[in-house]
Amino acid sequence: MLASAKPPFIRIIFCLKHLHCHHHFSFSSLPNKSLITHISYAFHHQNLNLLNPYFLSKLQQTHVEPILISLQCNPNSAIHFFQWAENFLESPHNARSFCALLCVLLKHGMFNDSHNVFDKMIARFGTGSDSLDAFLNFFRDSKTDRSIVYGFLIDSYCRHKMVDRSFQVFVYVCELGVSVPPHVVHRMLTILVDSNHVNLIVDKYGELCNAMRGQGFCVYEFIMVGFFKRGEVEMGLTFHQAVTERCFAPNIIACNKILKVLCEGNMIEVASHFFNMVQLAGPEPNVVTFSTLCNAYCKGGNLDKAFDLYCVMLRRGVTPDLIIYSILIDGLFRAKRLEEGHRLLLVALDSGIKLDVVIFSSIMDAYVRTSDLRRVIEVYNRMLNVWISPNIVSYSILIKGLCQNSRTVEACGVFGRIIKHGFEPSLLTYGSLIDAFCKLGNLRDGFSLFKDIVKKGYEPDVIIFNVLLNGLCKQGLMDDALRFFFQVLNRGLSPNVFTLNTLMDGWCRLKRSREVVKVYILMGMYDVKPDVVTQTVLIKAVTEQGRLEGALLLYYQMLKRGCVPDVVTYCTLINGLCRHRNLTAGLQIFEQMQRNGVAPNIAIYNVLIHAFFKECRQEAASEFFNHVVERGPEPDIITYNTIICGYCSLKRLDEAVKHFEKMTCGRFGPNSITFTILIDAFCKEGRMDDAMLIFSKMLENSPEPNIVTYSCLIDGYFKSQNMESAFELYEEMLENNVFPNIVSYSILMDGLCKRGLLEEASTAFDCAIERHLLPDVIAYAILIRGYCKVGRISEAMMFYDHMSVNGILPDALLQRTLDEYHLQKVG
């Protein structure tokens, strides 16, 4: 092909081959030897003052070439002369002058200057062969390395996008046995790939590989990656097929690299097709090939294809290694296919694969995320059984799992093991324990760990700060929470929206709406964008104040700003409206929520069912209850307690008992609240036998009676004139380590006072104080009324004075007693 086409550069090379004589310039043969020597001397010494006007008047274009050659030991002087001569002679240089300068520059490796000169020569004389004949002749006569000169020529053609010519020169040079610099081949290949010259590359693939042999450069890999990164998928696959058909099969290492590039570029379908081509035409896939594609399938969530590939691997006799098992097991656990993942883990272990601590930790983490602590501990023990030592990550995951399941004591034991083995606990480790302590209300130990973090030089992150802040807010310690918040700011840590939402919620729990608004204003100061939780807390704070119009205004502002309310927002708003006896508005918001595409959860249905009973609309309440039973969302224990409590409040105890019986046959049984609701209802109706029957069922079904349960029964016995049973139950309560609160003491005192046993009632009052219980206005009113009724006014007055000293104001009922017996006047 090259011989028949006879491109211009071949004629240059042909002439070069037949130059048997060396055209060294012999100054003795030149008539102007003195002129050349004189001018060369002046430029060599970079002193133009040495130039003689006589010689300058004789300077011609033909003298430029020999003068440049005489300056070849001083390339900067040659450049200076070249530029000076063109201005002095007032005529452009010829091709031989350009080539002479190029030869001088290349000899000294001045490639940037050479490129500039070559570019000017091409611009002036074009890309024909005449301008290059002289260049190659000079190369023939010079001592310059042929590899450098040919490389420069190929590179220059490449820079001018003359792809065919650069490749022709490359092929010819390879035939001469002259090596081409690798960076030149790299540039040429890049242009060939960019211009989709697949055929050219394939035809001379062997020469290209030979040119780059020993350079740590894989021609196949470079070309394939180039095509794929440019999105020329078909070109790449065609090239691979053509190369393998010509028996230039690449090695599997190169193919694995290509496969990795495709997978990392998310071209999974192309990677799969490429893998099939490798399977059919070679080279033989190895375990790395399979693991690369398996990993891509797992990351893309296509586990079925990953396991199909795993089966192909087994059929081809390729033994899975640690990486393959790690990829597949991790993929299964991430997809929450835990049982399959656990079975594959056992297969790996039984086949003798020694899994590392990383994969065991990954499996433990997957079980922690599904709250399956039993399996977490099982995997941890299995890791120990195969003599793999846990690291700080696996210990931290175990601690997190234990803390999530309220097994904080055991988590502390693991923490101690970390310290014992010399590991440095991470922030994740500390964070899990601090979170567990705060959830248990154990802020002292939580802050102790926090101090330990600071002492060790760690910089706690905003997550740990938020956990501690949330713990303070949940316990109503808002002054401490604010102090801690400002400590956080002083440490240079910026609050996020969760931080400020936590503070707002803390103030909201204390019904301090003004402080809620102040924290909301802080968001703007710290450039924190409010989210749906922020708006929900604001709505809750406003509804707590009874400002229903303000709550609705906030809701509609949310919609206007494009902040989409979630189900918690709707539940908060509907609950606020219903609590303030505006069920109509609550139902309107409920309808809007459904129109806006937000599905109501069971908490909202519970709120509405409770509101219907409050409004004595039992049919509507029953309708809503039937809806959730038949169509969802699934009712919870609160739903059943609400419907039972509702029927009890309407004194429809038979209906309440029917729902109670349905509940006992359902997915979850009644809890202590359910039993107490029914017991209280029967006691208020004086049906003590029924109340005790429910109480017996409670004891049989294991929900432990609490102080409220016992208080209801004791009060019922007192009201039914059965003091003996009341005291028996009271003794039973104490035996079962259920200790009375101020309400149960008040019930006891009321029963005693009504029987005229004032001394015993007074003793019960003293017992409450000894137990550090704070008597409320009801407890005082019972005693004051009791003493007044039997005419013991002075003792009644004593209790009234005691109440006043403790800052307790009389309620309306007590005030009537005080007015009736003129206690305030006596005082």
Side-chain angles (χ1 to χ4, degrees), residues 590-733:
F590 178 74
E591 291 171 2
Q592 278 190 25
M593 174 183 66
Q594 293 175 302
R595 286 199 299 270
N596 292 338
V598 180
N601 61 9
I602 192 61
I604 291 178
Y605 280 105
N606 292 343
V607 166
L608 289 171
I609 290 169
H610 178 73
F612 282 128
F613 276 117
K614 283 282 184 183
E615 298 282 334
C616 297
R617 294 170 59 181
Q618 63 186 50
E619 291 182 5
S622 180
E623 183 183 336
F624 264 63
F625 178 78
N626 291 334
H627 174 89
V628 298
V629 169
E630 294 169 8
R631 290 181 249 171
E634 187 178 4
D636 58 12
I637 189 73
I638 298 173
T639 317
Y640 280 100
N641 286 347
T642 302
I643 198 84
I644 291 169
C645 184
Y647 280 119
C648 287
S649 67
L650 298 177
K651 298 185 179 181
R652 296 185 58 180
L653 298 188
D654 292 341
E655 288 289 336
V657 170
K658 283 180 184 178
H659 284 290
F660 173 77
E661 289 172 351
K662 287 179 184 177
M663 193 178 181
T664 55
C665 301
R667 189 172 64 86
F668 43 76
N671 61 8
S672 60
I673 296 173
T674 321
F675 282 106
T676 304
I677 289 169
L678 279 173
I679 288 168
D680 181 57
F682 281 124
C683 288
K684 284 177 179 175
E685 291 294 306
R687 294 166 60 177
M688 293 307 298
D689 291 340
D690 291 325
M692 286 305 296
L693 179 63
I694 297 294
F695 183 67
S696 299
K697 287 183 179 180
M698 184 178 188
L699 297 176
E700 291 171 6
N701 287 276
S702 76
E704 293 290 335
N706 55 31
I707 185 62
V708 179
T709 317
Y710 281 109
S711 297
C712 292
L713 284 168
I714 293 168
D715 186 50
Y717 275 126
F718 274 126
K719 286 178 177 174
S720 62
Q721 310 294 322
N722 192 343
M723 187 180 295
E724 184 178 348
S725 296
F727 278 107
E728 284 176 2
L729 202 59
Y730 182 78
E731 292 296 329
E732 182 185 323
M733 178 181 76

Side-chain angles (χ1 to χ4, degrees), residues 390-405:
N391 60 12
I392 187 61
V393 175
S394 47
Y395 276 130
S396 298
I397 291 168
L398 181 59
I399 286 173
K400 184 179 180 182
L402 289 167
C403 290
Q404 282 180 353
N405 286 267

Side-chain angles (χ1 to χ4, degrees), residues 782-795:
I782 289 168
L783 286 172
I784 292 170
R785 236 182 358 257
Y787 277 106
C788 287
K789 283 182 178 180
V790 296
R792 296 167 66 174
I793 304 300
S794 60
E795 289 162 290

